[in-house]
Structure formats: structure tokens, C-alpha cells
């Protein structure tokens, strides 16, 4: 007899030895092994073996009921063996085939000696933290609440401080903290104390996955727990010594890179049983078991979440601002980290350099900072101040593509959780600024853009931001938390002049209806004094802002559609722009929209800007002006002197939002029947709008 899968002949042609893996099959060609003159055959077997007869032309096999049954010997007839339990010794099970001539005369017998072994490569396929044995879902992956599949973390943190790269660059584990970042994979075996001579068990990965996954296993377990990489960039296979009996071998698996434009996030690991055919002939696989992992994505956190750590750059001109931030952080109960000049190197725009997020698996999660390709002095900040134990780092820098201001991470924002046309986005959606679809304007570099799309869990929405000089989405849109069912509102800039056509039937803001004295300047540097009348009579400025409003409205429609927003979910903030020589818009009073929300403030919840320090109320809107003293909000009495103890207060009336911005402790305005107040410090706007 011949056994093409899992069988090899002994010294005599009538004896075959085969290794049968539990859950698999061994086939033997009965017709090819029959002696001359044989026309029928019969089969008998030991208790632990099941035998089926497969005939050519029949789809279903016929089970062997027991001794005494005979079948006609036709060309193509095959026996299929399987075993239900592992062997305790080599060749402890047997199948005997008897051949018969015409008239039922016995001619000869052939024996197949079987050794049953169990081999199973197992992972946490149902994401409950337990590595189940032989899960039916271990070789596939599916998204969603009813989905399944094992998850890997990228070991992008740095447990050992004196080794230069992050953990995923190492081929050995320096402490057990590294192992806690990795997913567990278990190789379970059962069978006799030894395998028949020549058989091997091998772990393997494809060459395509070699730079995406690493597998570690203990080395010399009797001389200390030292784990080394057995699969990875330079190791595609690893021979596993057979432990004998019932055993479990633990392996630890790490991701080496996040999903990107060339990597879907899925990796496969295989275990194979190899059989020797003859001396000088390579081994061939007779059994393979496969598990599939998905590398956990990088997930961006929205600004509406309560902060845990707060980072601020210390500059020569922001001492008072830094002190205010320290008070705010103390009240919010979050840690404050001040980055001094030797780290920021004169670059204050931390928001443009880094974006904070995290990565998560059932066994572990930790924050990960994404470093932008922008290089303006702060590139050492995430490496020296953030990268460490359980704090990861990933950097995206194009090799050949030039970077622009749209590659700053002020051009990457994320919404709170939203539901759009019945589809849930529990982690929100990333917002990316880009150029108008029909133009050849500035765009985010493809490397970063493709990376954000490849994470999949926060499906990006592309907005039109190239109309701005800097071109970042956080210049005109952000989100603040609320306590109602929606849980957030979107803040968006809006420009409107009296008599200027608008796409939506809203009354023009009082800012441009009333004729009051204004002190107008750009970004606090231009101190030229103008009046509102001059602003309103400036046809060029009116046309420029009409163009700006159309750009904003274009984005408004996209955001409403892609985030499932209604008009009542949007709060408009007044804005005024001018166009530079390149036709790009620059704001006269910027930085009113960026924010994240500290919690646990007394009486009112406020917003803290990541850049300039604006504080915005998000609920209990008042029809009167407010005084923010410390962090308590109280209504002002008529005739009382308002002191802006912190940077910004906010009030709303009739759908029109007004900011009150001032310098801490300065006497800024006498309130006599005032409905709204708008002030910008250091050469900005100062308005007294009477009832």
C-alpha cells in the first residue's frame, strides 16, 4: 500500500507507518497496493481509529462499520484514516487491509500502523483575554461587535531607558514588562513521549510578514527566563523541539509596525508537521495550522475627553499664561508637563508637531504619540519627553515627497463618537484638511494621509482647508463637550456682514450691524485704528469675506453629512479674514476654536485651548455677560467693572456667540447695560455693544 499523506513504508511493502494529527486524515491507495488477482478487500482497525472508503465518482465516503464487510476493488479506491485521541506510544494503533480473489479466497494482508498526535496553535480569537484551544475563528478576522480575531500591539514604547530604539527594534526581551505588551500564542501538543524518527514541528511566517511581526520564546528555561526572537525580520521559520506527552509552549507576539498604505494590518503565523520521505529528500508538510492576528491601529483621541496629562511650551513671552495653565491643571486634577526651551528650541506650536493617541488590545493599552513630518525645532520633544515605558512613539516622514504646512498636525482633528445614517463611529472620525477637489492645491503628504486611512477605525473625512494661508482644519472647526444626549457641539467660524448674501437664513451678527468704535488688528501685531463703519464700507474686504464664508459653508455641508450633524449641533463663532498676496485667507482674530476640556471645575465646565489658552463655556448659556473669577462664572451687575481674570469668557444670545478675551487682572471695560462684550488683548478688538 502507498500513503501519500502522512505515511511512509517500512522495510516490507506490506507494512506502513503513519503519523496522524488529530483532526486531520491519512489517505492510503488500496487499488495501487493490491496484489495480482485481488478483486475485493476488507478492513479492520483498532478502537481509536476511524476508517472511510472513498470510491471514484462518489462524492460521499462510506464508513467502515466493522470486520467482515467487503468492498469491490476498483481503480481509484482510497482509504481515509482519522484518529480521535492521541497515542501514548509510537505505532499503538493499526488498520489491517485483507485482499480477496474470486470466490472470496484470501490472498494477502497489509497493515498501517498509526501514531496519533495533537498539534494546535492557539490565540485569543474571541478577544476575552483567554487563549482557547482550537477556536474555530483563530484563522480569520472580522470587524464589529460580533466580530472575532486576535489582536497585536505594536511594541513602540521603550521599557529599557538605555537602549536607543523603541522595543520593536530589539531581538530579545530585557524584562517581563515587554512581555505584557505582547499577545500570547500557545502551541499545544499531545502524543507519545517521542515522535517517529525524522518528523519535525516548525513555526513559520511569510517573507511578506517578516517586517511586521516578531515572535519570542523562552531560551534555556532551566537557567533563567530569557526570551529571544524566534520569528521576525531575519527569521522566517523556527524548529520547535517536540516536548512529549501533553504540553503547552508559550510564545509572545508583537507587532513591528502599524497598518499603512502597504500593510492591511493582518499577519499570519503557521505551525507545520514535516515528514521525511527518504534520505536526501527534503521534508514535506503533512499538516499545517494557522492563526491570524490584526495589528491594533493607532487611535486618535478627541479634544472632548477629560485630560490626564497636560503639556505646555514655556516661552519668553508666556509666563503669565503658563501660570494660569498651572492653576487650571491643578483644579482639573491632571498632571502638567512644562517643556522648556532646551526641548522646544523656540518652537511653541506643540499641536502642529505631535498628535496624541493610543493603541488598544484586550490584554493591554497605552498612549502613542504620532510625530509629524514637520521639522521646526521640536522634533526631539516626543522622543525625550514622551517615549518611555507604556508610552509609544511613531514617526511618519516621507523620503522623497516635500512637506508643507498642511502636514502640521493642526491639520488633523477627530470628532467625538458619531452616528451617520445608521452607521456607528464609536471612536469618531478623523478630519483632514486638503485642497478643493478640482484644484491642484496643497495636500497633506501621501505618507501621513495613507497612514491615517489605513487605521480604518476612524474613517477620515477630507475637508477643504487650502483656502487658508496656513491651511489647517483646526483654524475653523473644533468640538466641545456638553451634558445633553448629543454629548458635544461643533464650534465653527462664521463671517457675515450686513447686506452680504448668505446661504442660510440667519440674522447677521450684531458685531457687524452696530456702528461702534473698534480697535482692529491682525494677530495682535497691527495696531491701526479703524471703525466698524470703515469695515462695512470696504467692498474689497466684504468680497474677500464672502469668499471665505463660501469656503466655510462648503465644509459645513461636508461635516453635517459625514458626521450626521444638525444645525442645532453647530455653534457659530464670529470671524473676520483678509486675503494675502497669494489669495489665501488669514484671520484678524484667530485661535478661538482649538480646545480640550478639563473636568471637575466648580459650577461651570470650561474649555482649555491647546495653543493660546482660550476658555469657553459649553452649557448654561447666559443672555448677560459673565465674569470669570478664578474659574467660577457669575453674572455681572450693571455698572460693575469687569476684570478678565482668565483669558476667555463666552456668552450667547439669539444664536450669536461672543467671546470675551482679556489679559489677566487688567481693568478692561465698564459694563453699563451691556448685552455682549468682545475683546482681543494686545491690539485686538474692543467693543461696547449697548442694548
Amino acid at each position: 500500500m502507498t500513503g501519500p499523506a502522512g505515511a511512509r513504508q517500512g522495510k516490507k511493502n506490506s507494512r506502513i507507518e503513519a503519523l496522524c494529527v488529530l483532526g486531520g486524515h491519512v489517505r492510503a491507495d488500496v487499488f495501487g497496493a493490491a496484489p495480482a488477482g485481488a478483486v475485493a478487500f476488507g478492513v479492520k482497525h483498532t478502537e481509536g481509529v476511524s476508517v472511510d472508503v472513498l470510491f471514484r465518482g462518489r462524492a460521499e465516503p462510506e464508513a467502515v462499520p466493522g470486520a467482515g464487510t467487503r468492498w469491490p476493488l476498483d481503480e481509484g479506491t482510497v482509504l481515509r484514516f482519522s484518529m480521535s485521541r492521541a497515542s501514548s506510544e509510537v505505532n499503538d494503533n493499526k488498520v489491517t487491509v485483507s485482499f480477496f480473489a474470486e470466490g472470496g479466497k484470501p490472498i494477502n494482508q497489509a497493515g498501517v500502523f498509526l501514531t496519533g498526535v495533537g498539534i494546535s496553535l492557539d490565540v485569543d480569537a474571541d478577544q476575552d483575554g483567554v487563549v482557547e484551544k482550537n477556536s474555530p475563528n483563530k484563522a480569520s478576522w472580522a470587524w464589529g461587535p460580533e466580530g472575532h480575531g486576535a489582536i497585536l500591539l505594536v511594541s513602540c514604547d521603550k521599557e529599557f531607558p538605555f537602549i536607543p530604539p523603541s522595543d520593536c527594534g530589539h531581538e530579545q526581551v530585557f524584562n517581563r514588562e515587554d512581555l505584557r505588551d505582547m499577545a500570547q500564542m500557545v502551541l499545544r501538543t499531545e502524543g507519545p513521549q517521542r515522535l517517529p524518527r525524522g518528523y519535525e514541528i516548525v513555526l513559520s511566517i511569510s517573507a511578506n510578514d517578516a517586517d511586521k511581526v516578531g515572535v519570542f520564546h523562552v531560551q534555556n528555561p532551566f537557567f533563567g527566563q530569557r526570551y529571544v526572537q524566534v520569528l521576525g525580520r531575519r527569521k522566517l521559520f523556527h524548529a520547535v523541539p517536540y516536548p512529549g506527552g501533553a504540553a503547552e509552549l508559550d510564545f509572545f507576539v508583537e507587532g513591528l509596525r502599524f497598518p499603512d498604505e502597504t500593510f492591511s494590518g493582518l499577519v499570519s503565523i503557521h505551525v507545520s508537521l514535516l515528514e521525511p520521505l527518504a534520505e536526501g529528500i527534503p521534508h514535506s508538510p503533512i499538516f499545517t495550522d494557522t492563526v491570524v492576528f490584526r495589528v491594533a491601529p493607532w487611535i486618535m483621541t478627541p479634544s472632548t475627553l477629560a485630560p490626564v496629562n497636560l503639556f505646555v511650551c514655556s516661552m519668553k513671552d508666556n509666563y503669565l499664561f503658563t501660570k494660569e495653565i498651572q492653576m487650571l491643571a491643578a483644579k482639573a486634577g491632571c498632571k502638567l508637563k512644562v517643556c522648556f526651551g532646551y526641548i522646544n528650541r523656540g518652537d511653541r506650536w506643540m499641536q502642529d508637531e505631535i498628535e496624541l493617541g493610543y493603541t488598544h488590545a484586550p490584554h493591554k493599552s497605552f498612549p502613542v504619540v504620532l510625530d509629524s513630518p514637520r521639522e521646526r525645532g521640536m522634533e526631539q520633544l516626543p522622543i525625550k519627553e514622551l517615549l518611555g515605558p507604556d508610552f509609544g512613539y511613531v514617526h511618519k516622514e516621507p523620503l522623497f515627497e516635500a512637506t508643507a504646512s498642511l502636514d502640521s498636525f493642526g491639520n488633523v482633528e477627530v470628532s467625538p463618537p458619531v452616528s451617520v445614517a445608521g452607521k456607528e463611529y464609536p471612536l469618531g472620525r478623523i478630519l483632514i484638511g486638503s485642497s478643493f477637489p478640482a484644484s491642484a492645491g496643497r495636500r497633506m503628504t501621501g505618507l501621513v494621509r495613507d497612514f491615517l486611512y489605513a487605521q480604518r477605525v476612524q474613517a477620515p473625512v477630507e475637508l477643504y482647508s487650502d483656502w487658508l494661508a496656513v491651511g489647517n482644519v483646526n483654524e475653523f472647526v473644533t468640538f466641545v463637550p456638553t451634558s445633553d444626549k448629543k454629548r458635544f457641539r461643533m464650534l465653527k467660524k462664521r463671517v457675515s456682514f450686513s447686506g452680504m448674501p448668505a446661504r442660510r437664513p440667519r440674522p447677521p451678527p450684531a458685531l457687524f450691524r452696530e456702528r461702534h468704535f473698534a480697535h482692529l488688528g491682525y494677530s495682535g501685531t497691527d495696531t491701526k485704528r479703524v471703525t466698524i463703519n470703515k469695515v462695512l464700507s470696504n467692498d474689497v474686504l466684504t468680497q474677500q469675506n464672502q469668499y471665505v464664508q463660501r469656503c466655510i459653508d462648503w465644509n459645513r455641508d461636508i461635516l453635517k453629512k459625514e458626521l450626521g450633524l444638525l444645525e442645532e449641533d453647530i455653534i457659530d463663532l464670529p470671524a473676520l479674514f483678509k486675503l494675502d498676496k497669494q489669495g489665501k485667507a488669514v484671520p484678524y482674530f484667530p485661535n478661538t476654536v482649538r480646545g480640550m476640556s478639563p473636568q471637575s471645575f466648580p459650577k461651570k465646565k470650561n474649555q482649555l485651548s491647546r495653543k493660546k489658552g482660550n476658555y469657553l463655556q459649553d452649557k448654561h448659556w447666559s443672555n448677560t455677560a459673565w465674569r470669570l473669577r478664578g474659574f467660577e462664572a457669575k453674572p455681572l451687575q450693571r455698572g460693575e467693572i469687569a476684570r478678565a481674570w482668565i483669558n476667555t469668557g463666552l456668552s450667547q444670545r439669539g444664536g450669536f456667540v461672543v467671546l470675551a478675551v482679556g489679559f489677566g487682572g487688567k481693568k478692561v471695560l465698564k459694563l453699563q447695560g451691556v448685552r455682549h462684550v468682545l475683546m482681543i488683548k494686545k491690539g485686538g478688538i474692543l467693543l461696547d455693544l449697548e442694548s
Side-chain angles (χ1 to χ4, degrees), residues 573-574 592 614-616 648-651 657-661 677-679:
L573 300 179
T592 57
N614 298 336
Y615 303 83
L616 309 177
T648 307
L650 181 138
S651 63
V657 178
V658 180
L659 297 176
V661 185
V677 178
L678 174 60
M679 299 168 290

Side-chain angles (χ1 to χ4, degrees), residues 241-287:
Y242 176 69
E248 294 186 357
L249 301 178
D250 291 331
F251 294 84
F252 295 89
V253 189
E254 68 174 359
L256 301 182
R257 55 187 276 201
F258 284 99
D260 56 31
E261 69 280 4
T262 62
F263 174 39
S264 68
L266 293 177
V267 295
S268 299
I269 302 176
H270 317 278
V271 62
S272 299
L273 179 63
L274 304 184
E275 178 191 46
L277 294 178
E279 188 175 350
I281 304 296
H283 288 51
S284 60
I286 60 172
F287 169 82

Side-chain angles (χ1 to χ4, degrees), residues 1-306:
M1 293 178 66
T2 58
R8 58 179 177 174
Q9 289 187 327
K11 294 182 179 180
K12 297 180 180 180
N13 289 338
S14 59
R15 176 186 174 95
I16 297 175
E17 296 178 0
L19 199 64
C20 183
V21 180
L22 305 187
H25 300 90
V26 175
R27 294 172 178 248
D29 181 4
V30 180
F31 182 82
V39 295
F41 68 96
V43 179
K44 62 180 181 179
H45 55 83
T46 54
E47 183 180 356
V49 181
S50 298
V51 182
D52 296 324
V53 182
L54 288 79
F55 296 97
R56 176 177 292 181
R58 297 187 192 179
E60 296 296 327
E62 182 178 333
V64 175
T69 305
R70 298 180 184 180
W71 291 268
L73 188 61
D74 298 325
E75 185 177 358
T77 302
V78 173
L79 293 182
R80 187 176 68 182
F81 314 138
S82 62
M83 297 186 65
S84 58
R85 62 173 181 262
S87 296
S88 57
E89 297 180 2
V90 174
N91 297 333
D92 63 353
N93 284 271
K94 183 180 180 181
V95 177
T96 302
V97 180
S98 300
F99 296 97
F100 302 91
E102 291 286 352
K105 180 182 179 180
I107 301 178
N108 199 358
Q109 287 186 337
V112 179
F113 292 86
L114 297 173
T115 303
V117 295
I119 300 176
S120 176
L121 190 60
D122 297 317
V123 293
D124 178 17
D126 57 4
Q127 303 172 12
D128 62 354
V130 178
V131 179
E132 303 86 4
K133 183 177 181 179
N134 237 353
S135 168
N137 296 319
K138 66 182 182 180
S140 60
W141 217 96
W143 292 98
E146 305 301 323
H148 60 265
I151 300 177
L152 282 181
L153 291 178
V154 176
S155 293
C156 56
D157 64 338
K158 186 177 180 181
E159 303 290 352
F160 200 70
F162 304 109
I163 301 297
S166 60
D167 289 344
C168 62
H170 303 149
E171 294 188 358
Q172 59 184 3
V173 174
F174 293 94
N175 56 53
R176 296 194 66 85
E177 293 300 320
D178 271 344
L179 296 181
R180 293 189 177 97
D181 294 345
M182 302 182 192
Q184 187 179 14
M185 180 176 70
V186 179
L187 176 60
R188 293 184 168 100
T189 62
E190 53 182 328
Q193 290 302 311
R194 62 178 181 84
L195 292 179
R197 187 172 59 87
Y199 284 90
E200 292 183 359
I201 299 176
V202 174
L203 282 176
S204 64
I205 56 175
S206 69
N208 188 53
D209 287 343
D211 63 339
K212 304 174 181 68
V213 64
V215 179
F216 290 80
H217 184 55
V218 67
Q219 185 182 59
N220 297 326
F222 300 107
F223 298 96
Q225 296 279 317
R226 181 171 178 263
Y227 287 81
V228 297
Q229 191 179 79
V230 295
L231 295 176
R233 289 187 175 94
R234 296 183 296 176
K235 302 173 183 178
L236 297 183
F237 66 91
H238 170 68
V240 181
Y242 176 69
E248 294 186 357
L249 301 178
D250 291 331
F251 294 84
F252 295 89
V253 189
E254 68 174 359
L256 301 182
R257 55 187 276 201
F258 284 99
D260 56 31
E261 69 280 4
T262 62
F263 174 39
S264 68
L266 293 177
V267 295
S268 299
I269 302 176
H270 317 278
V271 62
S272 299
L273 179 63
L274 304 184
E275 178 191 46
L277 294 178
E279 188 175 350
I281 304 296
H283 288 51
S284 60
I286 60 172
F287 169 82
T288 297
D289 199 16
T290 299
V291 295
V292 172
F293 287 94
R294 179 174 289 279
V295 175
W298 178 80
I299 303 171
M300 185 175 171
T301 49
S303 59
T304 52
L305 294 178

Side-chain angles (χ1 to χ4, degrees), residues 512-561:
F512 299 115
R513 291 203 311 268
E514 305 291 341
R515 298 183 178 184
H516 294 284
F517 177 82
H519 189 183
L520 183 62
Y522 168 64
S523 297
T525 59
D526 184 0
T527 58
K528 183 178 179 181
R529 300 170 69 89
V530 298
T531 65
I532 292 295
N533 284 340
K534 288 185 178 180
V535 173
L536 294 173
S537 62
N538 189 330
D539 292 338
V540 174
L541 189 61
T542 301
Q543 291 174 357
Q544 290 178 353
N545 279 272
Q546 183 178 5
Y547 160 74
V548 167
Q549 186 59 47
R550 288 181 176 177
C551 295
I552 294 175
D553 286 342
W554 175 281
N555 290 297
R556 186 189 191 101
D557 291 340
I558 294 175
L559 288 165
K560 287 175 65 177
K561 176 183 177 182

